[in-house]
Amino acid sequence: MVRFKNRYVTVEISSPMIPENKPLSLKSKIFHETVMTKIQQLHGDFGVAAVRTGFLTKYCNENTRIAIIKVRHGPHKFVTSCIPFITKIGNLDVSLRTLHVGATLKHCFKFIQKHQRAYLNSVWMSLKSDDERKRLEAAVMDFTKTDVAINIGNIT
């Protein structure tokens, strides 16, 4: 029996149309279909066939604008090469940036925690009250806004 290796690609989604403090109305299914159509455009039928098996959007948070894509090892290069060329998701103008490519979901969430902690530290001083700070921290560090239930209880 052969074990298939996976890669998890952490992507940051930024949109100039929507301010940073408002959540994106982004569904993981639309994000998934957009990536597949871009792979079709750039790599053709071979790219789609290579990526299709094991390709999932595991995590898509509208508040933090971060998504995690699961893809098999090898064809993950097709996905990572297509990500910078995606400029529209649905009717929303976006730009995507690859933050991290990891071998496990646990390491991706560790990276996201570190990335979000740095973001919190940069924004922390601009907030006026403790209540605003607590609400921002709760929204940024919330990993439960997923389409697939993920247990990350033992990460910290």
Side-chain angles (χ1 to χ4, degrees), residues 11-14 31 35 83-86 89 94-98:
V11 179
E12 182 180 46
I13 306 161
S14 60
F31 180 69
V35 173
I83 286 174
F85 296 108
I86 296 174
I89 297 177
V94 297
S95 65
L96 300 179
R97 187 174 70 141
T98 302

Side-chain angles (χ1 to χ4, degrees), residues 1-8 53 70-73 103:
M1 185 169 239
V2 177
R3 182 178 76 98
F4 292 110
K5 294 181 180 179
N6 293 316
R7 290 294 175 254
Y8 296 90
T53 304
K70 175 188 168 195
V71 65
R72 288 187 37 199
H73 183 269

Side-chain angles (χ1 to χ4, degrees), residues 22-83:
K22 295 197 177 181
L24 291 174
S25 59
L26 179 68
K27 301 295 178 205
S28 65
K29 183 178 181 184
I30 297 170
F31 180 69
H32 179 85
E33 291 170 355
T34 304
V35 173
M36 287 301 283
T37 56
K38 189 53 79 171
I39 291 170
Q40 174 69 39
Q41 289 175 355
L42 295 177
H43 299 290
D45 291 336
F46 178 76
V48 171
V51 169
R52 180 161 296 170
T53 304
F55 182 69
L56 292 170
T57 303
K58 292 293 274 185
Y59 176 79
C60 192
N61 194 327
E62 299 169 343
N63 292 321
T64 60
R65 301 176 181 204
I66 291 180
I68 297 178
I69 303 168
K70 175 188 168 195
V71 65
R72 288 187 37 199
H73 183 269
H76 76 283
K77 294 179 183 178
F78 292 131
V79 175
T80 56
S81 68
C82 290
I83 286 174

